Structure formats: C-alpha cells, structure tokens
C-alpha cells in the first residue's frame, strides 16, 4: 500500500512538472523572440553605423545580448572564425541549426534568421540594413503570434499536466 502511495505521488509530481515545463516554454518563446530581435537591432547598429566587420560585429553583439540569443550569435562568430572556406551563410546556418534546439523558439523564427543569414555579408550596408529591418518586422509578427499562443496554452498546459497525472494515478489504483 505504501509503495502504491509513493508511486502515485511520484506520478502526480512528474505529470505536474511536465505541465509546468511545457507552460514555461510557452512563456519563454515571446521573450526569446524579443531578445533575438533586440540583438539583431544591435547587430544592425554595429554593421551600418559602426562599420564594424561582420565577425567582430557578431562578437560584440553576442557579448551584450541576453541568452540564448547571445549564444546563437557567438556560435555564428565562432563558426565564421574557423576560416575553413565556408561562406557566411553556411556558417550562420550551421550556428543557428545547432543552437536552435536549446531555445524555446520554433521553426518560423528559425526560417526568419536563416533568410537573414543568406543576405548578410554579401551586399552593401544599405541592403543589409533593409534585410535586418525586414527580419525585425517578421520577428515582431512571430512574437505577437507567440504571445497569443502563450495566453491560450500556458495555463492549459499546467492544468493538463496535473490532470493527466491524476488520471494515470486513478487508473493505477
């Protein structure tokens, strides 16, 4: 009987924890999109107004950016500094794809950043400015969608985790 009680408590705890972790991902997504957008604005300043070379601009921006955006930009700078003959687009894509799973962001935001990476470093500063601003607008739209999703699903995830765990406990008994 004691073993069943401990098992039931562990199942309830695990289910509730899973629900809260999923809710946290819903809450983190808009915040991380906002941080990425802010980091890209800093990158814009470094490139356009500071006339900083792209690898240095990435490092400077990464140092002042909040995580996980800072890690993504630092990874891109590290990939670029390897000097293995890859283009900026290839380095950017490798960095984004490897670091993306550690974020709460999803495929639409990844697609925006990958499109941006395919245009940075291959044109003049005015064209890069245009692409950075386009990415900012697209990220703002994704942030708004993520906020809507958060308001719909955050509370439900917490409740669903607890309720499913309670169902499992009831079925165990």
């Amino acid at each position: 009987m004691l073993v069943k009680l401990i098992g039931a408590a562990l199942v309830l705890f695990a289910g509730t924890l899973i629900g809260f972790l999923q809710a946290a991902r819903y809450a983190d997504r808009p915040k991380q999109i906002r941080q990425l957008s802010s980091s890209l604005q800093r990158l814009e300043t470094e490139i356009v107004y500071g006339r900083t070379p792209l690898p240095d601009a990435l490092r400077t921006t990464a140092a002042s950016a909040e995580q996980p955006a800072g890690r993504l930009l630092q990874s891109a700078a590290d990939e670029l500094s390897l000097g293995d003959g890859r283009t900026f687009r290839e380095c950017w894509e490798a960095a984004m794809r490897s670091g993306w799973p550690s974020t709460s962001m999803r495929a639409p935001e990844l697609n925006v950043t990958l499109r941006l990476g395919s245009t940075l470093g291959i044109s003049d500063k005015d064209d890069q400015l245009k692409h950075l601003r386009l990415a900012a607008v697209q990220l703002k739209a994704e942030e708004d969608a993520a906020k809507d999703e958060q308001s719909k699903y955050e509370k439900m995830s917490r409740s669903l985790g607890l309720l499913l765990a309670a169902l499992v406990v009831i079925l165990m008994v």
Side-chain angles (χ1 to χ4, degrees):
M1 179 66 177
L2 182 62
V3 173
K4 274 190 174 184
L5 188 60
I6 292 172
L10 288 175
V11 168
L12 275 173
F13 176 73
T16 303
L17 184 62
I18 289 170
F20 274 80
L21 289 174
Q22 184 62 35
R25 287 187 68 84
Y26 281 114
D28 287 344
R29 185 174 174 225
K31 181 173 58 170
Q32 289 180 5
I33 295 171
R34 195 170 34 259
Q35 290 168 351
L36 180 61
S37 183
S38 174
S39 297
L40 292 178
Q41 287 175 343
R42 284 190 208 110
L43 183 62
E44 172 187 319
T45 302
E46 288 289 331
I47 292 171
V48 177
Y49 303 108
R51 297 187 183 268
T52 310
L54 203 47
D56 296 335
L58 284 171
R59 276 192 198 83
T60 303
T61 304
S64 65
E66 293 184 55
Q67 303 307 334
R71 276 193 309 272
L72 292 171
L73 295 176
Q74 184 60 50
S75 178
D78 293 343
E79 290 278 339
L80 199 55
S81 67
L82 290 176
D84 55 3
R86 291 183 297 162
T87 64
F88 175 79
R89 184 180 75 61
E90 293 167 333
C91 293
W92 179 266
E93 186 171 335
M96 294 302 125
R97 290 196 186 278
S98 68
W100 211 259
S102 68
T103 72
S104 293
M105 293 183 281
R106 297 194 184 148
E109 297 88 40
L110 176 61
N111 291 335
V112 169
T113 60
L114 292 178
R115 276 193 303 272
L116 175 63
S118 68
T119 59
L120 284 180
I122 60 171
S123 59
D124 64 354
K125 71 176 179 98
D126 293 329
D127 192 45
Q128 290 183 48
L129 174 65
K130 181 178 75 173
H131 287 290
L132 282 161
R133 289 193 175 157
L134 175 63
V137 168
Q138 292 170 333
L139 286 173
K140 177 64 176 149
E142 292 303 328
E143 180 188 349
D144 292 341
K147 284 179 184 176
D148 289 342
E149 199 173 279
Q150 176 188 2
S151 68
K152 288 179 187 176
Y153 299 118
E154 183 180 17
K155 186 176 179 182
M156 183 188 70
S157 295
R158 283 191 289 251
S159 300
L160 198 57
L162 176 64
L163 292 173
L164 286 176
L167 177 65
V168 169
V169 168
I170 290 170
L171 292 175
M172 281 177 29
V173 175

